[in-house]
Amino acid sequence: AQSVAQPEDQVNVAEGNPLTVKCTYSVSGNPYLFWYVQYPNRGLQFLLKYITGDNLVKGSYGFEAEFNKSQTSFHLKKPSALVSDSALYFCAVRDERGFKTIFGAGTRLFVKA
Amino acid sequence: DVKVTQSSRYLVKRTGEKVFLECVQDMDHENMFWYRQDPGLGLRLIYFSYDVKMKEKGDIPEGYSVSREKKERFSLILESASTNQTSMYLCATSAGDREGETQYFGPGTRLLVL
């Protein structure tokens, strides 16, 4: 069965510092991996995805994520955090044979000025 | 840009009422989804539809039903609302290209059942 784990409920970082939001996954086949962001009182917005190819994926707002097959991880990163990056971040996974996307529990990112 | 709209942002209902949540998309997407979002649980899939008049149960379909009479509209029905259905409900769509399909979300409906 597919599953996604976001081990941190909350991540705190100072503005200008690099940030990492962690995600690990489990699927039976090749994974399709996604990051979505949710700002207060809004729906989820797509940030980036890994389908195949280069393990480093670049997305919206300066975010990137690295696919690591051996560690079954897909951590979200940004070199320099902004206060406006404060939001709830969801990692999600689908396997190549499945129809459903499984979402993690979410990680709340706080960026302090 | 894909636009996904939901009929209400906030809704207050009483236990036992029948509740309708509507979702409309304007991009001719094949697939539509209903999720509920609860703190610490992430998003959980209630139902999805990959074509008009087609529906499939998700992970937590109990107490819910859906209707898709037109391609652009996907309705979630709470047959008899209960307090444990108080939640944020999110509608999403995707194009139907199965490889790595991105989902596009509506703004959500926050439902309170008293």
Side-chain angles (χ1 to χ4, degrees):
Chain A
Q2 300 168 216
S3 66
V4 178
Q6 293 183 242
E8 302 152 318
D9 291 336
Q10 185 171 310
V11 170
N12 298 308
V13 65
E15 189 173 34
N17 283 359
L19 70 88
T20 299
V21 183
K22 295 180 180 176
C23 173
T24 58
Y25 66 90
S26 174
V27 295
S28 52
N30 289 322
Y32 299 141
L33 294 154
F34 306 81
W35 277 101
Y36 290 85
V37 60
Q38 185 179 37
Y39 297 102
N41 299 313
R42 304 277 295 275
L44 275 68
Q45 296 177 32
F46 169 75
L47 268 183
L48 51 80
K49 65 183 176 184
Y50 171 82
I51 306 302
T52 187
D54 193 349
N55 289 344
L56 185 64
V57 179
K58 294 188 183 296
S60 306
Y61 312 122
F63 284 94
E64 58 188 29
E66 186 164 13
F67 170 61
N68 187 317
K69 189 172 184 178
S70 62
Q71 296 187 3
T72 61
S73 67
F74 190 56
H75 301 330
L76 181 70
K77 300 183 180 187
K78 188 173 182 181
S80 179
L82 299 172
V83 172
S84 58
D85 292 330
S86 298
L88 186 57
Y89 290 81
F90 290 95
C91 182
V93 66
R94 248 182 76 220
D95 71 45
E96 59 186 347
R97 297 167 295 176
F99 197 91
K100 293 189 295 183
T101 300
I102 303 298
F103 288 81
T107 298
R108 192 165 294 281
L109 174 66
F110 286 105
V111 182
K112 195 173 181 181
Chain B
D1 280 352
V2 175
K3 191 169 182 185
V4 183
T5 57
Q6 295 184 226
S7 51
S8 305
R9 293 298 302 273
Y10 301 94
L11 214 48
V12 180
K13 295 291 180 181
R14 298 234 173 248
T15 302
E17 280 193 76
K18 192 168 185 175
V19 182
F20 293 86
L21 304 182
E22 290 225 308
C23 176
V24 179
Q25 52 108 349
D26 67 355
M27 284 299 291
D28 203 35
H29 279 182
E30 303 291 332
N31 305 322
M32 298 187 76
F33 308 82
W34 275 107
Y35 295 91
R36 63 176 282 177
Q37 180 184 0
D38 299 289
L41 296 177
L43 275 67
R44 291 179 292 167
L45 182 64
I46 305 171
Y47 268 96
F48 63 98
S49 168
Y50 51 87
D51 202 353
V52 176
K53 296 192 186 293
M54 304 299 287
K55 60 185 179 183
E56 294 283 345
K57 291 180 180 180
D59 298 317
I60 51 164
E62 296 79 18
Y64 303 94
S65 61
V66 290
S67 172
R68 193 167 182 200
E69 296 296 320
K70 294 185 178 181
K71 191 174 186 179
E72 68 270 19
R73 190 180 297 268
F74 192 36
S75 301
L76 179 70
I77 303 151
L78 285 65
E79 299 291 343
S80 177
S82 63
T83 55
N84 63 13
Q85 292 178 309
T86 290
S87 187
M88 169 74 104
Y89 290 87
L90 293 170
C91 174
T93 75
S94 67
D97 170 9
R98 294 188 60 175
E99 181 176 307
E101 61 188 26
T102 298
Q103 293 190 22
Y104 298 87
F105 286 81
T109 296
R110 193 169 291 280
L111 173 67
L112 173 62
V113 182
L114 299 173

